[in-house]
Amino acid sequence: MDSSNSTPEVSEITSVSKSDNRPISTIVIIVAMQAEALPLVNKFQLKEDDNSLFPNGVPWVRYHGIYKGLSVNIVWPGKDAVLGVDSVGTVSASLVTYASIQALKPDLIINAGTAGGFKAKGAGIGDIYLPSVVAFHDRRIPIPVFDLYGVGSRKAFSTPNLLNALDLKVGRLSTGDSLDMTATDETSIFSNDATVKDMEGAAIAYVAELLKVPAIFVKAVTDIVDGNKPTPEEFLQNLATVTAALDKAVTEIVDFISGKSILAL
Ligand code: ADE
């Protein structure tokens, strides 16, 4: 874990009861893109929910099943009803996180997805990060205290045993609603001390904290933000191979979780 975890303005996503030794029974994996979700759905042999938990007419999709004694749910916000593309970004991610927690009362939220990485902070294509802290970089409110609210820095649930057991990198995650990075975003990402950048993590952290559910983040690097290739090109070029690495990491994490209590992670 990085030492900056003790920064006072970083809030804990949740406080878990110190006596909670029950094995984890239900997990929800929030994934923004179908390309990220489907290999995992196959791996865990999940079925699409036809009797939806969610309101009529929303495109949100839940896949579910039992894997190694765990009730595993993968929730994907689906395709935009008009444009037919994946509903990426903070708004859809917040909505499905809220709806999934309300309906399924999970013991743990896992947000799995791709991210841009900063080579100046050691990131390379295909690296898998388990971020320690998540924050926003596009909510600038230069008024005292509102500035901190905008940044919305939160700690991921601490999983020292999981980190010891698996080959995952640690760093901070910065979230915004754009794939590209303006100079102003860059300044905020730098001040968030981020190694990886995504479009959902900090929003999911906000909802998980509100509803007191522990949340962790698994981010696979598809593109190097401070490299010389255009981000959309590099992202699309690497999406399939990096998604395979992401799915392998998520499977290892779920295997590790199986049979353990939340405090043993
Ligand atoms: N997901 C994958 N690459 C990304 C990037 N560069 N920014 C935000 N989200 C991403």
Side-chain angles (χ1 to χ4, degrees):
M1 284 285 161
D2 61 339
S3 55
S4 41
N5 260 359
S6 54
T7 315
E9 71 271 19
V10 178
S11 64
E12 285 278 5
I13 287 186
T14 188
S15 53
V16 167
S17 154
K18 298 252 180 309
S19 60
D20 191 352
N21 288 319
R22 288 172 307 121
I24 292 168
S25 76
T26 302
I27 62 172
V28 169
I29 304 173
I30 307 278
V31 173
M33 295 184 72
Q34 189 173 39
E36 297 160 340
L38 291 185
L40 284 173
V41 168
N42 291 331
K43 169 74 202 179
F44 297 131
Q45 300 193 325
L46 308 182
K47 297 267 174 291
E48 185 170 337
D49 189 4
D50 21 307
N51 189 7
S52 182
L53 298 172
F54 302 135
N56 275 343
V58 297
W60 312 339
V61 183
R62 174 176 80 122
Y63 302 96
H64 64 107
I66 303 294
Y67 173 82
K68 297 197 174 173
L70 280 173
S71 167
V72 175
N73 299 272
I74 294 182
V75 176
W76 164 55
K79 303 258 184 192
D80 181 88
V82 175
L83 300 170
V85 294
D86 292 292
S87 305
V88 299
T90 60
V91 175
S92 291
S94 304
L95 289 168
V96 296
T97 304
Y98 177 80
S100 302
I101 293 174
Q102 289 294 87
L104 297 165
K105 309 273 181 261
D107 301 302
L108 179 69
I109 294 282
I110 301 175
N111 170 220
T114 58
F118 291 85
K119 69 174 194 288
K121 305 276 275 176
I125 301 290
D127 285 350
I128 310 287
Y129 280 85
L130 197 75
S132 52
V133 175
V134 302
F136 291 98
H137 57 253
D138 59 358
R139 306 201 316 176
R140 292 172 295 279
I141 315 172
I143 300 171
V145 192
F146 280 102
D147 52 359
L148 295 177
Y149 167 78
V151 172
S153 200
R154 291 184 166 81
K155 286 183 190 173
F157 184 69
S158 173
T159 57
N161 300 320
L162 176 65
L163 274 174
N164 268 340
L166 303 182
D167 185 23
L168 302 166
K169 295 178 94 170
V170 178
R172 291 177 173 228
L173 170 67
S174 195
T175 299
D177 268 305
S178 299
L179 184 69
D180 69 358
M181 181 177 72
T182 64
T184 321
D185 288 345
E186 188 174 10
T187 305
S188 307
I189 290 170
F190 186 77
S191 86
N192 287 344
D193 196 17
T195 304
V196 280
K197 161 182 181 286
D198 80 343
M199 297 176 64
E200 289 86 19
I204 292 169
Y206 171 76
V207 179
E209 180 183 87
L210 267 184
L211 300 179
K212 300 188 172 48
V213 180
I216 62 172
F217 306 85
V218 190
K219 297 288 157 175
V221 175
T222 45
D223 50 273
I224 298 300
V225 185
D226 52 349
N228 41 30
K229 292 195 182 153
T231 296
E233 237 169 72
E234 198 176 22
F235 168 72
L236 291 172
Q237 209 168 51
N238 292 322
L239 182 60
T241 49
V242 170
T243 296
L246 173 68
D247 291 339
K248 179 170 171 286
V250 172
T251 305
E252 287 169 1
I253 290 169
V254 174
D255 285 345
F256 182 86
I257 287 171
S258 162
K260 294 194 175 62
S261 73
I262 195 80
L263 293 172
L265 297 184

